[in-house]
Amino acid sequence: HMGWNTVDVAAGSALFAGIPAGTRFYFVHSYAAHETTGLVTRAEHGEPFVAAVESGLVSATQFHPEKSGDAGARLLENWLATL
């Protein structure tokens, strides 16, 4: 999966606060997580997969926020605000 894709944001997500639905993020990967615990945001590329997870002090994204333009910058600002 290489390219721009939208995500299905989990309700209550701190990472995606203020980022409109339908916003695209830049993905570059050859693997996918399908199950995890915590607040899970998903994307789809052939099948649904975990695009981001928030669990307590841990946050992770499958996509590259630093390559995702203004949306990625906003997500990183949101993440910094959780620290």
Side-chain angles (χ1 to χ4, degrees):
H1 182 207
M2 182 172 180
W4 296 90
N5 200 352
T6 59
V7 297
D8 182 18
V9 177
S13 170
L15 286 179
F16 293 90
I19 299 174
T23 298
R24 295 182 176 274
F25 294 89
Y26 191 72
F27 289 80
V28 179
H29 61 82
S30 59
Y31 59 90
H34 294 288
E35 298 298 327
T36 188
T37 59
L39 193 62
V40 177
T41 292
R42 298 191 183 276
E44 188 166 327
H45 183 73
E47 62 187 31
F49 63 90
V50 175
V53 64
E54 299 167 64
S55 181
L57 296 175
V58 175
S59 296
T61 63
Q62 178 74 1
F63 55 86
H64 290 261
E66 77 284 2
K67 295 181 180 182
S68 296
D70 291 342
R74 176 64 188 261
L75 184 132
L76 291 172
E77 288 174 10
N78 290 344
W79 173 71
L80 286 171
T82 68
L83 301 178

